[in-house]
Short mmCIF file of all heavy atoms in Angstrom, two decimals:
data_model
loop_
_atom_site.label_atom_id
_atom_site.label_comp_id
_atom_site.label_asym_id
_atom_site.label_seq_id
_atom_site.Cartn_x
_atom_site.Cartn_y
_atom_site.Cartn_z
N SER B 41 103.32 117.02 107.67
CA SER B 41 102.77 117.49 106.40
C SER B 41 101.26 117.23 106.30
O SER B 41 100.59 117.78 105.45
CB SER B 41 103.50 116.85 105.22
OG SER B 41 103.19 115.48 105.16
N PHE B 42 100.72 116.38 107.21
CA PHE B 42 99.27 116.18 107.21
C PHE B 42 98.56 117.35 107.88
O PHE B 42 97.34 117.42 107.89
CB PHE B 42 98.89 114.87 107.93
CG PHE B 42 99.48 113.64 107.31
CD1 PHE B 42 99.46 112.43 107.98
CD2 PHE B 42 100.03 113.68 106.04
CE1 PHE B 42 100.02 111.28 107.40
CE2 PHE B 42 100.59 112.55 105.45
CZ PHE B 42 100.57 111.35 106.15
N MET B 43 99.34 118.27 108.47
CA MET B 43 98.75 119.43 109.12
C MET B 43 98.50 120.56 108.13
O MET B 43 97.87 121.54 108.46
CB MET B 43 99.69 119.99 110.20
CG MET B 43 100.13 118.99 111.22
SD MET B 43 98.74 118.61 112.26
CE MET B 43 99.40 118.93 113.84
N LEU B 44 99.04 120.44 106.90
CA LEU B 44 98.93 121.56 105.97
C LEU B 44 97.48 121.82 105.59
O LEU B 44 97.05 122.97 105.48
CB LEU B 44 99.78 121.28 104.72
CG LEU B 44 101.28 121.15 105.02
CD1 LEU B 44 102.02 120.63 103.80
CD2 LEU B 44 101.84 122.48 105.46
N GLY B 45 96.73 120.73 105.39
CA GLY B 45 95.30 120.89 105.10
C GLY B 45 94.60 121.58 106.26
O GLY B 45 93.69 122.39 106.07
N GLU B 46 95.06 121.28 107.47
CA GLU B 46 94.44 121.91 108.63
C GLU B 46 94.72 123.41 108.65
O GLU B 46 93.85 124.19 109.04
CB GLU B 46 94.96 121.27 109.92
CG GLU B 46 94.29 119.94 110.20
CD GLU B 46 94.87 119.25 111.41
OE1 GLU B 46 95.17 119.94 112.39
OE2 GLU B 46 95.06 118.02 111.35
N ALA B 48 94.89 125.28 106.12
CA ALA B 48 93.88 125.84 105.20
C ALA B 48 92.53 125.94 105.90
O ALA B 48 91.85 126.97 105.85
CB ALA B 48 93.78 124.99 103.95
N LEU B 49 92.15 124.86 106.58
CA LEU B 49 90.86 124.85 107.25
C LEU B 49 90.77 125.96 108.29
O LEU B 49 89.81 126.72 108.34
CB LEU B 49 90.66 123.48 107.89
CG LEU B 49 89.34 123.25 108.61
CD1 LEU B 49 88.20 123.36 107.62
CD2 LEU B 49 89.31 121.88 109.27
N PHE B 118 95.15 131.24 103.64
CA PHE B 118 94.22 130.18 103.24
C PHE B 118 94.62 129.62 101.86
O PHE B 118 94.79 128.41 101.69
CB PHE B 118 92.80 130.75 103.21
CG PHE B 118 91.77 129.88 102.54
CD1 PHE B 118 91.54 128.60 102.98
CD2 PHE B 118 91.01 130.37 101.49
CE1 PHE B 118 90.58 127.80 102.38
CE2 PHE B 118 90.05 129.59 100.88
CZ PHE B 118 89.84 128.30 101.32
N MET B 122 96.33 126.00 100.94
CA MET B 122 95.76 125.05 99.98
C MET B 122 96.81 124.61 98.98
O MET B 122 96.92 123.43 98.65
CB MET B 122 94.60 125.71 99.23
CG MET B 122 93.30 125.63 99.94
SD MET B 122 91.94 125.86 98.80
CE MET B 122 91.98 127.59 98.50
N HIS B 125 99.34 122.33 100.64
CA HIS B 125 98.66 121.07 100.92
C HIS B 125 98.52 120.26 99.63
O HIS B 125 98.76 119.05 99.60
CB HIS B 125 97.29 121.41 101.51
CG HIS B 125 96.32 120.28 101.64
ND1 HIS B 125 96.59 119.15 102.36
CD2 HIS B 125 95.06 120.13 101.15
CE1 HIS B 125 95.52 118.34 102.30
NE2 HIS B 125 94.59 118.92 101.57
N MET B 126 98.20 120.96 98.55
CA MET B 126 98.08 120.29 97.27
C MET B 126 99.43 119.71 96.84
O MET B 126 99.49 118.59 96.33
CB MET B 126 97.56 121.27 96.24
CG MET B 126 97.58 120.71 94.85
SD MET B 126 96.39 121.44 93.75
CE MET B 126 96.64 123.12 93.81
N ARG B 128 101.73 118.64 98.79
CA ARG B 128 101.94 117.45 99.64
C ARG B 128 101.16 116.27 99.04
O ARG B 128 101.71 115.18 98.87
CB ARG B 128 101.45 117.79 101.05
CG ARG B 128 101.70 116.86 102.19
CD ARG B 128 101.18 115.48 102.14
NE ARG B 128 99.90 115.35 102.80
CZ ARG B 128 99.05 114.37 102.55
NH1 ARG B 128 99.33 113.44 101.67
NH2 ARG B 128 97.92 114.31 103.19
N VAL B 129 99.90 116.52 98.71
CA VAL B 129 99.06 115.45 98.17
C VAL B 129 99.64 114.96 96.84
O VAL B 129 99.69 113.76 96.57
CB VAL B 129 97.61 115.96 97.99
CG1 VAL B 129 96.80 114.97 97.20
CG2 VAL B 129 96.97 116.20 99.36
N ALA B 134 99.02 110.96 97.04
CA ALA B 134 97.81 110.71 97.83
C ALA B 134 96.54 110.85 97.00
O ALA B 134 95.46 110.49 97.44
CB ALA B 134 97.74 111.68 99.02
N PHE B 135 96.68 111.34 95.78
CA PHE B 135 95.51 111.55 94.92
C PHE B 135 95.11 110.28 94.18
O PHE B 135 94.14 110.25 93.46
CB PHE B 135 95.83 112.64 93.89
CG PHE B 135 97.03 112.30 93.06
CD1 PHE B 135 96.93 111.41 92.00
CD2 PHE B 135 98.28 112.82 93.37
CE1 PHE B 135 98.05 111.06 91.26
CE2 PHE B 135 99.39 112.47 92.63
CZ PHE B 135 99.28 111.59 91.57
N ARG B 139 91.23 108.18 95.95
CA ARG B 139 91.03 109.56 96.38
C ARG B 139 90.96 110.56 95.23
O ARG B 139 91.14 111.75 95.43
CB ARG B 139 92.13 109.96 97.36
CG ARG B 139 92.06 109.14 98.65
CD ARG B 139 93.08 109.52 99.67
NE ARG B 139 92.92 108.72 100.88
CZ ARG B 139 93.27 107.46 101.00
NH1 ARG B 139 93.85 106.84 99.98
NH2 ARG B 139 93.05 106.80 102.12
N ASN B 142 88.47 113.43 95.74
CA ASN B 142 88.87 114.44 96.70
C ASN B 142 89.90 115.38 96.09
O ASN B 142 89.94 116.56 96.42
CB ASN B 142 89.42 113.79 97.97
CG ASN B 142 88.73 114.35 99.19
OD1 ASN B 142 87.78 115.13 99.05
ND2 ASN B 142 89.18 114.00 100.37
N TRP B 143 90.70 114.86 95.21
CA TRP B 143 91.63 115.72 94.49
C TRP B 143 90.84 116.73 93.64
O TRP B 143 91.12 117.91 93.64
CB TRP B 143 92.55 114.87 93.61
CG TRP B 143 93.40 115.66 92.67
CD1 TRP B 143 93.11 115.95 91.38
CD2 TRP B 143 94.66 116.28 92.95
NE1 TRP B 143 94.12 116.70 90.82
CE2 TRP B 143 95.09 116.92 91.77
CE3 TRP B 143 95.48 116.35 94.08
CZ2 TRP B 143 96.28 117.63 91.67
CZ3 TRP B 143 96.68 117.05 93.98
CH2 TRP B 143 97.06 117.68 92.79
N GLY B 146 89.46 119.30 95.64
CA GLY B 146 90.55 120.22 96.01
C GLY B 146 90.82 121.23 94.91
O GLY B 146 91.00 122.42 95.18
N VAL B 147 90.83 120.77 93.67
CA VAL B 147 91.07 121.70 92.57
C VAL B 147 89.93 122.72 92.51
O VAL B 147 90.15 123.92 92.31
CB VAL B 147 91.21 120.95 91.24
CG1 VAL B 147 91.31 121.91 90.08
CG2 VAL B 147 92.45 120.07 91.28
N LEU B 149 88.22 123.72 95.06
CA LEU B 149 88.45 124.63 96.19
C LEU B 149 89.49 125.69 95.85
O LEU B 149 89.32 126.86 96.18
CB LEU B 149 88.89 123.85 97.42
CG LEU B 149 87.77 123.20 98.21
CD1 LEU B 149 88.31 122.22 99.23
CD2 LEU B 149 86.96 124.27 98.91
N THR B 150 90.55 125.26 95.17
CA THR B 150 91.58 126.23 94.80
C THR B 150 90.97 127.30 93.90
O THR B 150 91.20 128.50 94.08
CB THR B 150 92.71 125.55 94.01
OG1 THR B 150 92.94 124.28 94.60
CG2 THR B 150 93.97 126.35 94.05
N ILE B 220 82.54 127.13 98.98
CA ILE B 220 83.75 126.60 99.62
C ILE B 220 83.38 125.76 100.83
O ILE B 220 83.87 124.65 101.03
CB ILE B 220 84.69 127.76 100.03
CG1 ILE B 220 85.26 128.44 98.79
CG2 ILE B 220 85.82 127.24 100.92
CD1 ILE B 220 86.23 129.56 99.08
N VAL B 224 84.34 122.01 101.30
CA VAL B 224 85.21 121.61 102.41
C VAL B 224 84.53 120.49 103.20
O VAL B 224 85.17 119.50 103.58
CB VAL B 224 85.52 122.80 103.34
CG1 VAL B 224 86.16 122.32 104.62
CG2 VAL B 224 86.44 123.79 102.66
N HIS B 227 84.81 117.36 101.30
CA HIS B 227 86.23 117.01 101.30
C HIS B 227 86.59 116.28 102.60
O HIS B 227 87.19 115.20 102.58
CB HIS B 227 87.01 118.32 101.18
CG HIS B 227 88.47 118.17 100.91
ND1 HIS B 227 88.97 117.77 99.71
CD2 HIS B 227 89.55 118.42 101.69
CE1 HIS B 227 90.29 117.77 99.76
NE2 HIS B 227 90.68 118.16 100.96
N LEU B 228 86.17 116.87 103.72
CA LEU B 228 86.54 116.27 105.00
C LEU B 228 85.78 114.97 105.25
O LEU B 228 86.32 114.02 105.81
CB LEU B 228 86.29 117.27 106.13
CG LEU B 228 87.18 118.51 106.07
CD1 LEU B 228 86.91 119.43 107.24
CD2 LEU B 228 88.65 118.12 106.03
N VAL B 231 87.68 112.39 103.49
CA VAL B 231 88.90 112.01 104.22
C VAL B 231 88.51 111.07 105.35
O VAL B 231 89.19 110.08 105.64
CB VAL B 231 89.62 113.24 104.80
CG1 VAL B 231 90.80 112.83 105.66
CG2 VAL B 231 90.09 114.17 103.69
N LYS B 235 89.47 107.21 105.11
CA LYS B 235 90.60 107.18 106.04
C LYS B 235 91.80 107.88 105.42
O LYS B 235 91.91 107.98 104.21
CB LYS B 235 90.99 105.75 106.44
CG LYS B 235 89.82 105.01 107.01
CD LYS B 235 90.24 103.78 107.76
CE LYS B 235 89.03 103.05 108.29
NZ LYS B 235 88.11 102.65 107.19
N HIS B 236 92.64 108.36 106.33
CA HIS B 236 93.80 109.11 105.84
C HIS B 236 94.87 108.15 105.36
O HIS B 236 94.98 107.03 105.86
CB HIS B 236 94.34 109.99 106.97
CG HIS B 236 95.10 111.16 106.46
ND1 HIS B 236 96.33 111.05 105.88
CD2 HIS B 236 94.78 112.48 106.42
CE1 HIS B 236 96.75 112.25 105.51
NE2 HIS B 236 95.83 113.14 105.83
N THR B 237 95.64 108.62 104.41
CA THR B 237 96.78 107.82 103.96
C THR B 237 97.88 107.90 105.01
O THR B 237 97.83 108.72 105.91
CB THR B 237 97.36 108.40 102.66
OG1 THR B 237 97.60 109.78 102.88
CG2 THR B 237 96.40 108.22 101.52
N LEU B 369 101.50 106.04 101.19
CA LEU B 369 101.99 107.11 100.34
C LEU B 369 103.30 106.73 99.66
O LEU B 369 104.05 105.89 100.15
CB LEU B 369 102.20 108.38 101.17
CG LEU B 369 100.92 108.96 101.75
CD1 LEU B 369 101.24 110.07 102.75
CD2 LEU B 369 100.04 109.49 100.64
C1 LIG C 21 89.52 124.76 101.48
C2 LIG C 21 90.68 124.22 101.28
C3 LIG C 21 91.08 122.87 101.82
C4 LIG C 21 90.90 122.40 103.08
C5 LIG C 21 90.25 123.13 104.25
C6 LIG C 21 91.44 121.07 103.09
C7 LIG C 21 91.46 120.27 104.22
C8 LIG C 21 91.96 119.00 104.24
C9 LIG C 21 92.26 118.25 105.42
C10 LIG C 21 92.08 118.78 106.85
C11 LIG C 21 92.71 117.03 105.02
C12 LIG C 21 93.21 115.90 105.90
C13 LIG C 21 94.61 116.25 106.40
C14 LIG C 21 95.64 116.46 105.32
O1 LIG C 21 95.99 115.54 104.58
O2 LIG C 21 96.17 117.59 105.27
C15 LIG C 21 92.68 117.00 103.59
C16 LIG C 21 93.06 115.90 102.79
C17 LIG C 21 93.11 115.91 101.39
N1 LIG C 21 93.05 117.02 100.57
FE1 LIG C 21 92.48 118.85 101.20
N2 LIG C 21 91.92 120.74 101.85
C18 LIG C 21 91.73 121.82 101.04
C19 LIG C 21 92.11 121.92 99.72
C20 LIG C 21 92.62 120.87 98.94
C21 LIG C 21 93.18 121.01 97.64
C22 LIG C 21 93.39 122.35 96.92
C23 LIG C 21 93.51 119.74 97.20
C24 LIG C 21 94.15 119.30 95.87
C25 LIG C 21 93.84 119.78 94.70
C26 LIG C 21 93.14 118.83 98.23
C27 LIG C 21 93.26 117.45 98.17
C28 LIG C 21 93.20 116.62 99.26
C29 LIG C 21 93.32 115.17 99.22
C30 LIG C 21 93.50 114.31 97.96
C31 LIG C 21 93.27 114.74 100.57
C32 LIG C 21 93.42 113.31 101.08
C33 LIG C 21 94.87 113.21 101.47
C34 LIG C 21 95.22 111.94 102.17
O3 LIG C 21 94.33 111.21 102.61
O4 LIG C 21 96.44 111.71 102.25
N3 LIG C 21 92.62 119.55 99.29
N4 LIG C 21 92.24 118.22 103.12
#
Side-chain angles (χ1 to χ4, degrees):
Chain B
S41 69
F42 299 167
M43 306 289 234
L44 297 170
E46 282 176 39
L49 182 62
F118 168 57
M122 275 201 284
H125 169 58
M126 172 154 54
R128 189 301 266 158
V129 169
F135 57 80
R139 295 182 178 75
N142 232 6
W143 171 266
V147 174
L149 278 168
T150 321
I220 292 182
V224 168
H227 191 72
L228 295 182
V231 175
K235 304 196 181 59
H236 204 289
T237 52
L369 295 171

